[in-house]
Amino acid sequence: MHRLLVLYPPPTDPDHFRSYYVDTHLPLVAKLPGLRGYRYSFNVATSEGESPYFCVFEADFDDAAAYSAATASPEGQATRADVPNYATGGAVVLNFELRAG
């Protein structure tokens, strides 16, 4: 399994982020070819102090090749191009292979 993890720092307009993300961005995400599932939360906390992130997103793909194909697809390009429309604080994008312990 291969995971995409996106960490979003606080945006300038949290209400706009929430509504745009749910109503516009996530429907684009749902169209990614090879997507096995996704999760997100606006309730990002740390064990101590304030979280540096406003939102967290995870998406799963069968493997790195499926992830690469999804991001290179027209749907992947549209999803990536949409990020500046809501993520005024930027985004930290990570992807990695999951291993069981």
Side-chain angles (χ1 to χ4, degrees), residues 14-81:
D15 291 333
H16 170 73
F17 183 112
R18 279 189 194 91
S19 64
Y20 189 94
Y21 192 72
V22 171
D23 297 336
T24 304
H25 190 71
L26 290 178
L28 292 174
V29 169
K31 295 178 184 177
L32 289 172
L35 178 67
R36 303 263 314 197
Y38 69 88
R39 293 150 302 285
Y40 69 96
S41 179
F42 297 117
N43 298 317
V44 182
T46 64
S47 56
E48 294 180 16
E50 188 174 330
S51 172
Y53 300 108
F54 174 76
C55 178
V56 62
F57 171 86
E58 297 178 341
D60 293 331
F61 298 87
D62 284 337
D63 52 33
Y67 167 74
S68 293
T71 58
S73 72
E75 296 86 354
Q77 295 301 310
T79 301
R80 175 174 281 158

Side-chain angles (χ1 to χ4, degrees), residues 75-91:
E75 296 86 354
Q77 295 301 310
T79 301
R80 175 174 281 158
D82 188 50
V83 172
N85 293 326
Y86 65 90
T88 54

